[in-house]
Amino acid sequence: MPAIFLKPGKDKPVRQRHPWIFSGAIARVEGAPRAGAIVDVRAHDGRWLARAEYNPRSQILARAFCWDKNTQADDAFWRERLAAAIARRDAFAPGAEARRLVFAESDGLPGLILDQYRDHLAAQFLTAGAEARKAMTVRHLIDLLAPVSIIERDDSMRRKEGLPSTDGTLYGHLPDDPLIIVEHGLRFRVDLRSGQKTGFYLDQAANRAALAPFSAGREVLNAFSYTGAFAVHALAAGASHVINLDASAEALALAEANLRLNGFSPERWETIQADVFSQLRLWRDEGRRFDLIILDPPKFATSRRTLSRAARGYKDINWLAMRLLRPGGLLATFSCSGLVSRDLFQKILFGAALDAGRDARIVGHFFQSPDHPVLLTFPEAAYLKGFLLHLV
Ligand code: SAH
């Protein structure tokens, strides 16, 4: 078995079961493993620490997934990991038609994202190890879940791992008719082939349900609406009016389809295609007001280099949103940048409120849905955070 040897004093995170091993921690590599190969991780003195998947083209040179020396990473081992991840969802997200079945490292399956939309599966293979396990994974999934189709979706993370872009059908057939899923009793069209992520923002499912009761009787702005999922929940809970604001025409077309699908009268909703930064400024200048604003922007911080620009972006939209809220208004604000901690996000909101001249109180915390669990040994998996702020 090829092996990587850590530098002296660099073995503590691995012993504490953190899965990521960076190139800076590695003293030498033995046995010339190829990208995606399984290697032993050894301390400087040769002591066995873990089994990992290796990728010389990634900054994360190895991803550990097993800390038991006597367990071989064979076909049966990976099948068991998949089966265990799927079984856990029956505790976190029982009966959901759309749910994340595998959340990569958090499920002991590095680089594998697997989402279920009724009897269709959408998968992302984000690391060389996951890529190497693809054919086996597909075989096990057919066996474990008997899906109608398995669709593969690309992600920019594959580039960071030196993997080519990819998209397509891995198994079966996805019908041409739109796929409709039910989330908390509401219906949504999902585009598995070309939608963002794997088609739907499953990570916000719990927050959409949690926020809904606060929408009753309120005039709502759903900014960065994508396919209008927050809007559908808000209208079902009695919002008086919802505007969906997004830059993407395709996303808004799907949002309109979703609003119609759920039977809401067209007087209660609107879609506006515009840049959120400019549209909020325009409304500020016009004196436009709302009772509830949802801000769910894309990941602004994609690397440490972009962190300060991202922080300014978050401050800007939150400051503007605070200016647009009526007294007693609510701001549901999110950041899905893993590099922006909950603490940092709260500080950004503090700065935004000061500049907006508004008193704001935290009345709720949001987190990613429970089918995106976070292993305590791998806190990096907690990427989505949000606050519900009450403004006076
Ligand atoms: N809240 C959504 C997910 C939002 S994803 C849900 O629950 O499904 C982020 C969205 O922001 C994407 O649809 C993207 O098109 C949009 N977006 C990104 N930058 C934008 C900008 N500057 N102005 C408007 N929309 C933007």
Side-chain angles (χ1 to χ4, degrees):
M1 174 81 65
I4 56 176
F5 287 79
L6 302 184
K7 290 178 181 163
K10 292 286 189 188
D11 52 328
K12 188 172 171 196
V14 184
R15 280 193 287 104
Q16 293 185 335
R17 297 190 169 224
H18 194 282
W20 289 353
I21 302 167
F22 291 91
S23 48
I26 295 176
R28 66 178 202 282
V29 180
E30 263 184 25
R34 284 211 297 240
I38 292 176
V39 296
D40 282 326
V41 184
R42 295 184 179 277
H44 193 66
D45 60 8
R47 194 163 35 96
W48 192 93
L49 297 173
R51 236 178 280 291
E53 285 176 332
Y54 179 73
N55 184 0
R57 283 174 292 202
S58 171
Q59 283 185 4
I60 303 172
L61 217 71
R63 290 170 200 257
F65 60 85
C66 176
W67 284 263
D68 175 16
K69 194 177 179 190
N70 298 317
T71 301
Q72 295 310 312
D74 56 11
D75 200 89
F77 168 87
W78 293 111
R79 183 193 154 97
E80 184 47 41
R81 282 275 161 105
L82 283 168
I86 293 164
R88 272 193 284 280
R89 271 42 185 200
D90 292 328
F92 308 140
E97 287 196 347
R99 55 185 183 169
R100 177 150 296 187
L101 292 178
V102 176
F103 186 38
E105 276 82 338
S106 301
D107 283 302
L109 289 156
L112 176 64
I113 298 293
L114 182 71
D115 291 339
Q116 175 180 27
Y117 296 97
R118 294 182 37 199
D119 37 18
H120 301 274
L121 300 174
Q124 293 176 319
F125 301 87
L126 302 176
T127 59
E131 179 81 4
R133 282 182 273 120
K134 189 188 289 180
M136 178 183 60
T137 301
V138 168
R139 188 160 41 77
H140 289 322
L141 291 175
I142 294 167
D143 200 38
L144 290 165
L145 296 164
V148 172
S149 76
I150 305 177
I151 306 298
E152 179 175 11
R153 295 301 310 274
D154 199 23
D155 189 276
S156 60
M157 188 178 153
R158 284 176 61 92
R159 303 304 95 71
K160 294 185 182 172
E161 293 281 308
L163 296 168
S165 62
T166 174
D167 255 328
T169 305
L170 294 172
Y171 171 75
H173 177 67
L174 183 65
D176 293 330
D177 306 344
L179 180 66
I180 292 172
I181 57 117
V182 173
E183 180 188 89
H184 300 291
L186 299 164
R187 300 169 77 206
F188 297 92
R189 273 196 197 196
V190 179
D191 181 355
L192 257 63
R193 277 197 200 88
S194 52
Q196 297 179 22
K197 289 217 188 189
T198 66
F200 201 59
Y201 283 81
L202 298 170
D203 53 357
Q204 287 283 23
N207 300 330
R208 288 190 281 260
L211 191 58
F214 296 100
S215 341
R218 290 183 188 258
E219 202 179 323
V220 180
L221 170 62
N222 183 21
F224 305 97
S225 66
Y226 188 47
T227 56
F230 273 107
V232 168
H233 282 273
L235 287 165
S240 57
H241 188 264
V242 183
I243 292 180
N244 292 289
L245 176 60
D246 201 284
S248 156
E250 299 82 60
L252 289 174
L254 214 48
E256 294 195 6
N258 284 332
L259 291 154
R260 292 217 172 81
L261 190 63
N262 289 279
F264 303 121
S265 137
E267 292 86 65
R268 293 179 66 204
W269 56 265
E270 205 179 319
T271 57
I272 298 179
Q273 186 188 356
D275 171 59
V276 169
F277 292 84
S278 355
Q279 188 64 39
L280 295 186
R281 285 198 157 71
L282 194 69
W283 278 329
R284 176 201 58 188
D285 296 343
E286 290 173 1
R288 180 76 206 250
R289 294 289 177 268
F290 297 92
D291 304 309
L292 167 62
I293 298 180
I294 301 159
L295 288 179
D296 182 24
K299 186 156 94 179
F300 284 168
T302 47
S303 66
R304 290 208 182 277
R305 215 163 27 81
T306 57
L307 188 55
S308 59
R309 182 152 38 103
R312 284 197 297 277
Y314 285 119
K315 183 172 171 189
D316 197 36
I317 49 172
N318 280 283
W319 168 76
L320 284 163
M322 288 172 184
R323 298 267 318 250
L324 294 181
L325 281 165
R326 295 195 177 98
L330 289 170
L331 175 60
T333 182
F334 298 91
S335 161
C336 61
S337 301
L339 290 169
V340 175
S341 66
R342 188 176 287 274
D343 275 1
L344 174 57
F345 192 40
Q346 184 173 328
K347 288 195 180 91
I348 292 169
L349 297 173
F350 153 77
L354 270 187
D355 286 5
R358 302 288 298 263
D359 271 344
R361 290 178 172 78
I362 299 171
V363 292
H365 283 274
F366 300 112
F367 186 61
Q368 63 219 41
S369 294
D371 52 355
H372 295 56
V374 180
L375 263 179
L376 287 176
T377 50
F378 181 49
E380 286 82 350
Y383 66 100
L384 180 64
K385 70 284 309 173
F387 292 95
L388 183 63
L389 300 178
H390 182 255
L391 279 86
V392 292

